[in-house]
Amino acid sequence: MAMSKCVFICLSFGLVLGSESYPISNTEPADLVNATPAPQDQCMPTNASMPIECPAHVGPPCPYCYTNYESDYTTGSNLNFTDTELATIELHMSRWIEYWQHRYPPTLVEPSGDYSVFTGLAGRAQLFLRVYLYTNNDTYLQLSKQYITTALQTLPQKQEYSSYFYGHVGVWTVASMISYLYNDSDGVMTYWKNIQNTFAEVNTAIETKEYNSTPFDLSVDALDQGLSGLLYTGMLLNEWFAEQVIDPNVLKNITYFIISSGVATGQALGHDWLMYQTPNVPGCYDWGM
Ligand SMILES: *[C@@H]1O[C@H](CO)[C@@H](O)[C@H](O)[C@H]1NC(C)=O
Ligand SMILES: *[C@@H]1O[C@H](CO)[C@@H](O)[C@H](O)[C@H]1NC(C)=O
Ligand SMILES: *[C@@H]1O[C@H](CO)[C@@H](O)[C@H](O)[C@H]1NC(C)=O
Ligand SMILES: *[C@@H]1O[C@H](CO)[C@@H](O)[C@H](O)[C@H]1NC(C)=O
Ligand SMILES: *[C@@H]1O[C@H](CO)[C@@H](O)[C@H](O)[C@H]1NC(C)=O
């Protein structure tokens, strides 16, 4: 978990991977998952020069890091990539594709049982789905299917989060896309139905004000864990499949509920703007969100 979070953070800050090729280890994936790099070898999103120490100290599972030597943007800078830059991006991309397949193969369930899009199996399925859509190479669609199959097998009976990133709905969304690409319309219908039922439960809870009638904490609005992440699921499905998988009026109702919650929190704190508490930092509020 810590490992995949670090990798995620490194990736999102674009600090990934530097010098020459790092061999993929033969160590069992489970050991790699449990291993934590030495502090000086962990990716530091605020300090791009740090990770360069990594290969010297630990080797695998040292996270790949990249120091960006490009000059800062100034008005009028040429934003086009050169052929050399494109080749570098391609090289790093192929290393990451290798990394995930070997370090976190589709059969591997982490000790945390993480099935999520955000940090777990469904995220790897989505990653390879996107690589497939970009390359049209069937190998990646097959890998994507293997990851989502394990994710589906790992799903607990009870839903934990309403959102795309952490919840069952995210796993079902990715599963429906992969089923669609496999021409498996029964699969598509099954996963849509699960998601539609989840939306219906939340919509009913909102309409009847019986907020405890769903497995979710409906006071959590955040995109990663809460209701705006459910909303994201509906918008993504409707756009990806270009049809109304989720009733727009249900999306509208959930949107109003999220807005009302932000208004109420703002008012309670004496403000006339929307406020949302950050789930991970109690007492910390985001404006608007
Ligand atoms: C980044 O890390 C290096 C190596 O530890 C250190 O010398 C440097 O001061 C750090 N820079 C920042 C901006 O923290
Ligand atoms: C960047 O690429 C675009 C599309 O190929 C091209 O039209 C444009 O002239 C390029 N700009 C520069 C500054 O090279
Ligand atoms: C598809 O991807 C696999 C795995 O990276 C690779 O071995 C194979 O050569 C690729 N196929 C094509 C046609 O590019
Ligand atoms: C799905 O059907 C299309 C159109 O018949 C076909 O080109 C494609 O190969 C099929 N996909 C799979 C994964 O079988
Ligand atoms: C949206 O909420 C309103 C008010 O609670 C309700 O009347 C309406 O049926 C809901 N729309 C849908 C599509 O469920």
Side-chain angles (χ1 to χ4, degrees), residues 29-215:
D31 296 332
L32 290 164
V33 172
N34 291 327
T36 306
Q40 75 273 18
D41 297 324
Q42 290 169 17
C43 276
M44 296 286 176
T46 52
N47 189 337
S49 66
M50 285 280 226
I52 215 152
E53 299 177 13
C54 183
H57 289 284
V58 286
C62 158
Y64 296 152
C65 296
Y66 177 69
T67 305
N68 186 352
Y69 296 108
E70 293 296 319
S71 50
D72 288 346
Y73 176 80
T74 54
T75 310
S77 294
N78 184 2
L79 295 178
N80 290 359
F81 288 118
T82 63
D83 288 346
T84 314
E85 286 163 346
L86 286 175
T88 306
I89 292 169
E90 191 98 34
L91 173 70
H92 293 173
M93 193 67 203
S94 63
R95 281 175 176 170
W96 277 103
I97 289 169
E98 275 291 297
Y99 176 95
W100 287 108
Q101 285 179 70
H102 290 93
R103 302 280 179 86
Y104 294 83
T107 48
L108 173 70
V109 179
E110 291 174 78
S112 62
D114 192 345
Y115 52 80
S116 73
V117 169
F118 197 57
T119 48
L121 283 155
R124 284 159 225 150
Q126 178 179 284
L127 190 149
F128 283 103
L129 171 61
R130 294 190 64 165
V131 173
Y132 164 70
L133 292 173
Y134 182 73
T135 61
N136 268 322
N137 182 331
D138 285 339
T139 305
Y140 299 126
L141 182 59
Q142 286 158 20
L143 266 168
S144 178
K145 187 178 184 185
Q146 289 167 20
Y147 280 110
I148 205 67
T149 301
T150 313
L152 289 162
Q153 287 163 354
T154 309
L155 281 184
Q157 204 67 34
K158 185 168 178 276
Q159 296 196 57
E160 295 172 292
Y161 299 98
S162 63
S163 70
Y164 178 80
F165 300 100
Y166 273 131
H168 285 46
V169 293
V171 179
W172 290 328
T173 298
V174 176
S176 74
M177 292 170 174
I178 294 168
S179 298
Y180 175 81
L181 294 169
Y182 270 93
N183 303 319
D184 169 12
S185 53
D186 289 350
V188 174
M189 288 305 148
T190 302
Y191 302 124
W192 281 6
K193 192 87 203 128
N194 291 346
I195 300 165
Q196 287 159 345
N197 288 344
T198 307
F199 269 96
E201 274 179 41
V202 170
N203 191 54
T204 302
I206 290 171
E207 273 181 40
T208 60
K209 298 191 173 19
E210 292 188 12
Y211 302 128
N212 293 331
S213 64
T214 78

Side-chain angles (χ1 to χ4, degrees), residues 244-285:
Q244 292 187 3
V245 181
I246 305 301
D247 181 349
N249 287 314
V250 168
L251 297 181
K252 190 170 79 182
N253 279 356
I254 296 172
T255 304
Y256 284 147
F257 185 73
I258 295 170
I259 292 173
S260 307
S261 149
V263 169
T265 305
Q267 273 173 358
L269 294 166
H271 300 299
D272 62 355
W273 55 72
L274 302 181
M275 292 182 79
Y276 296 95
Q277 186 164 213
T278 308
N280 299 326
V281 190
C284 176
Y285 292 85

